[in-house]
Amino acid sequence: DGGITQSPKYLFRKEGQNVTLSCEQNLNHDAMYWYRQDPGQGLRLIYYSQIVNDFQKGDIAEGYSVSREKKESFPLTVTSAQKNPTAFYLCASKTGTTSTDTQYFGPGTRLTVL
Amino acid sequence: AQSVTQLGSHVSVSEGALVLLRCNYSSSVPPYLFWYVQYPNQGLQLLLKYTTGATLVKGINGFEAEFKKSETSFHLTKPSAHMSDAAEYFCAVSDPGGSQGNLIFGKGTKLSVKP
């Protein structure tokens, strides 16, 4: 079954800790994305990657970091510099950079800071 | 810069009634337009999209949307609501001339369906 998996589904973090959210896809997509979702705020772009070993900052990259060492994997690290990390995090991918391509989403990870 | 406005953060309809969720965009050129649905604690699923061609687009689960350039709108409709339609709906746009194909999302509209 092709798709996007995110793990864990729920994640709890103590203040001052870094945590890494996993995103894996077996759709052979080149482009991958990380979004943050807060109630009433829609989806805001954190980072995106259009090709392996390359990525760009989105609108709210401060306090986050990513890597893209493999085509199928795009992990997101939430660092201690992110002041308000409690949110729902969504990973997405699509075939390429064409504007008509559909983005496919994973099931999300809910991060809570204790 | 592009932007998307979804009028009404919450919409409530009775089962069997018409569903109308509003989306307006602001862009110097007509963008490509998408509607996604999100059920609680899940990811987003594409309902439909408009890129070129026929301005009335049919999607999954009986939804459709019409691109109206003169009104800069892409409203989502369904003739008869079902309880299973209760979810949050997001309108999104992308720039046809953009080199990255990124999406810009509206803030979402939560649809409630009353029995």
Side-chain angles (χ1 to χ4, degrees):
Chain A
D1 242 359
I4 302 173
T5 57
Q6 292 187 241
S7 62
K9 187 171 178 64
Y10 298 96
L11 186 57
F12 297 92
R13 188 193 95 170
K14 293 181 180 178
E15 285 196 26
Q17 282 184 335
N18 293 353
V19 289
T20 298
L21 284 59
S22 170
C23 177
E24 303 276 334
Q25 54 99 359
N26 62 3
L27 301 168
N28 199 33
H29 285 172
D30 286 318
M32 297 187 74
Y33 303 81
W34 274 107
Y35 293 94
R36 172 181 171 137
Q37 185 178 16
D38 298 282
Q41 294 296 314
L43 276 69
R44 293 182 289 170
L45 184 63
I46 304 173
Y47 268 97
Y48 63 100
S49 168
Q50 297 173 322
I51 196 168
V52 174
N53 292 323
D54 189 39
F55 48 83
Q56 286 79 40
K57 293 181 179 179
D59 300 319
I60 57 165
E62 184 174 352
Y64 300 97
S65 66
V66 294
S67 62
R68 186 85 187 276
E69 297 176 1
K70 299 185 295 183
K71 186 175 184 177
E72 58 270 24
S73 179
F74 191 40
L76 173 74
T77 296
V78 184
T79 75
S80 57
Q82 170 49 237
K83 296 307 177 189
N84 184 22
T86 294
F88 191 52
Y89 291 86
L90 287 160
C91 178
S93 71
K94 68 174 188 170
T95 306
T97 58
T98 305
S99 296
T100 55
D101 292 338
T102 298
Q103 283 193 23
Y104 295 88
F105 285 80
T109 292
R110 187 166 297 281
L111 173 63
T112 302
V113 173
L114 303 173
Chain B
Q2 294 180 322
S3 66
V4 181
T5 302
Q6 291 185 240
L7 190 62
S9 57
H10 287 87
V11 170
S12 181
V13 300
S14 298
E15 193 172 18
L18 171 72
V19 175
L20 170 61
L21 304 181
R22 299 178 186 274
C23 174
N24 288 88
Y25 66 87
S26 173
S27 175
S28 56
V29 296
Y32 298 136
L33 296 146
F34 303 76
W35 273 103
Y36 283 86
V37 61
Q38 183 182 35
Y39 298 99
N41 292 310
Q42 294 186 26
L44 276 66
Q45 179 183 10
L46 182 72
L47 278 175
L48 50 80
K49 67 179 180 182
Y50 170 77
T51 55
T52 58
T55 56
L56 181 62
V57 181
K58 295 186 184 299
I60 62 171
N61 301 339
F63 284 93
E64 62 182 36
E66 186 171 11
F67 169 57
K68 292 187 177 181
K69 182 178 176 181
S70 61
E71 298 177 8
T72 62
S73 69
F74 191 57
H75 301 332
L76 183 70
T77 60
K78 182 174 180 177
S80 176
H82 192 273
M83 296 297 290
S84 61
D85 295 326
E88 191 159 18
Y89 293 80
F90 292 93
C91 182
V93 301
S94 68
D95 180 0
S99 60
Q100 295 146 352
N102 291 351
L103 289 176
I104 297 171
F105 286 87
K107 294 186 184 298
T109 297
K110 193 164 289 188
L111 175 67
S112 301
V113 182
K114 299 174 290 188

